[in-house]
Amino acid sequence: HVPHQMKTRNRLQMRLLALSPTLLLILLVTLFCRIRVMVASTVCEHNGDSSNDQMSQCKMWNRRISKRQSMQYRIISAEACETMAKRIEEAHPDRFTFHPTKWSKFPDGTDNIEIGGFHPHNLLSGEHVLFLASFHNNDVTMSQFQVIIVLLQSFVESLTIVLPYYPVGTMERVTKEGTVATAATYAHMFGSLPSCGRPTRLMVYDIHTLQNRFYLHGNAVASLQTAIPLLKEKIKLSEIDAIAFPDDGAAKRFSVLFSDMDLEIIICGKTRGEGDTRHIVITDGNAEGKRIVIV
């Protein structure tokens, strides 16, 4: 059979060689066109998949934003923040419900607190709770920690603590042994709070030093916020043309947030005088004739 196969192959080769150049060109062009169509269809399918992925991601992101904006909260407030709680409820009654709390004392000075939202039945169980805190002195701080603990033990879905001003933020380090770094001890108390199944979110505005967020461990997580965008909106509507920072630390912390505005940056500093006296001097910038806001 081998000689027969060789003869057959030779005859095929002779026939191919006998084909006209025009026919060979037609075959090549046809083959090229078919390959091009296959490549184009593959690219279209790939682009279609990419577009579908982008659309899916956009839809997912929009659903997440919509879900966050539609979340409903029960508000429990420190006595000093009740006005703010009422304003939040009035501005967004479909999302926020304020439950007043009775902050009173027994004759011996110990707390006698009745948290709102528990009568005639528990309205906080299974709900997202927003606690508006104010740690302006040790007495009210301890009272609020006790309320926070009870809330976390009341089967709430989540707890968000809004603490606009973190009063111990500047006491984050010590230079003398035995001095209490209250920023660390407060963070330890937050981290030691009971768990409701997820970490307690602690929202703080314009904290003194950014590293304070890393003091929190365990059942509390810092959520750092800033009011600088609101300040910038007010500045645009005013005649202010300069920003002053009381020290170099404040300049490093906040000056970058004003880099997109045409404002004079003024940095102040302390110089030592005789004894314990300190003098404030301008170390950078020119304040003469300026309308200044101090940050």
Side-chain angles (χ1 to χ4, degrees):
H1 298 288
V2 173
H4 177 71
Q5 290 178 354
M6 291 180 64
K7 289 180 181 180
T8 303
R9 185 168 57 189
N10 290 335
R11 284 198 298 269
L12 289 173
Q13 290 177 351
M14 293 298 292
R15 289 179 180 177
L16 288 173
L17 291 173
L19 290 174
S20 65
T22 303
L23 185 57
L24 287 173
L25 180 61
I26 292 173
L27 290 173
L28 290 173
V29 170
T30 303
L31 181 61
F32 175 76
C33 291
R34 299 187 80 178
I35 293 173
R36 187 174 180 182
V37 169
M38 292 173 63
V39 172
S41 62
T42 303
V43 171
C44 289
E45 289 178 0
H46 177 72
N47 291 338
D49 293 341
S50 299
S51 300
N52 291 334
D53 290 343
Q54 292 178 356
M55 291 180 63
S56 298
Q57 291 177 359
C58 289
K59 289 180 180 179
M60 185 180 299
W61 179 250
N62 290 334
R63 283 197 299 267
R64 182 175 296 180
I65 293 176
S66 178
K67 181 180 179 181
R68 177 170 292 184
Q69 292 177 344
S70 62
M71 285 183 65
Q72 297 181 346
Y73 288 89
R74 304 280 182 169
I75 301 179
I76 303 296
S77 170
E79 191 172 12
C81 299
E82 288 184 352
T83 301
M84 181 168 62
K86 293 175 182 177
R87 289 173 59 187
I88 293 174
E89 183 183 40
E90 291 172 1
H92 305 280
D94 56 327
R95 292 190 58 200
F96 298 96
T97 303
F98 172 50
H99 300 281
T101 296
K102 296 180 180 178
W103 303 85
S104 56
K105 299 282 188 182
F106 288 110
D108 61 355
T110 55
D111 287 317
N112 181 15
I113 304 169
E114 186 177 335
I115 304 173
F118 283 89
H119 297 287
H121 57 272
N122 188 354
L123 299 173
L124 305 183
S125 177
E127 300 287 338
H128 299 286
V129 177
L130 182 69
F131 184 80
L132 304 182
S134 176
F135 290 178
H136 53 275
N137 62 51
N138 286 346
D139 183 18
V140 297
T141 299
M142 182 58 65
S143 300
Q144 290 169 68
F145 263 112
Q146 296 183 86
V147 170
I148 290 169
I149 291 172
V150 173
L151 291 173
L152 288 168
Q153 294 174 337
S154 300
F155 307 103
V156 298
E157 179 67 20
S158 70
L159 178 65
T160 300
I161 302 172
V162 179
L163 183 61
Y165 175 61
Y166 195 57
V168 296
T170 58
M171 197 58 184
E172 83 281 9
R173 61 186 183 274
V174 297
T175 57
K176 182 180 179 182
E177 287 298 321
T179 305
V180 178
T182 49
T185 56
Y186 270 54
H188 183 75
M189 287 192 289
F190 277 116
S192 301
L193 289 171
S195 173
C196 64
R198 63 180 69 187
T200 297
R201 182 184 181 188
L202 177 62
M203 297 178 63
V204 181
Y205 280 78
D206 296 304
I207 197 167
H208 180 68
T209 55
L210 293 174
Q211 61 265 30
N212 270 320
R213 70 186 302 174
F214 302 112
Y215 290 6
L216 290 168
H217 298 283
N219 294 330
V221 177
S223 177
L224 301 187
Q225 311 294 321
T226 179
I228 294 297
L230 299 177
L231 175 61
K232 291 169 69 174
E233 291 179 6
K234 295 295 184 181
I235 290 176
K236 291 177 182 178
L237 301 175
S238 69
E239 297 180 350
I240 293 171
D241 53 6
I243 300 289
F245 299 102
D247 53 39
D248 190 56
K252 291 178 180 178
R253 172 79 167 81
F254 294 107
S255 61
V256 67
L257 301 178
F258 297 94
S259 59
D260 59 334
M261 302 182 72
D262 186 20
L263 298 170
E264 175 82 18
I265 301 297
I266 301 167
I267 302 175
C268 302
K270 297 177 186 177
T271 58
R272 294 178 179 273
E274 295 182 359
D276 294 330
T277 60
R278 301 288 187 272
H279 300 286
I280 305 299
V281 297
I282 295 176
T283 59
D284 191 15
N286 181 17
E288 184 175 359
K290 300 291 184 180
R291 297 178 177 87
I292 303 170
V293 61
I294 300 174
V295 176

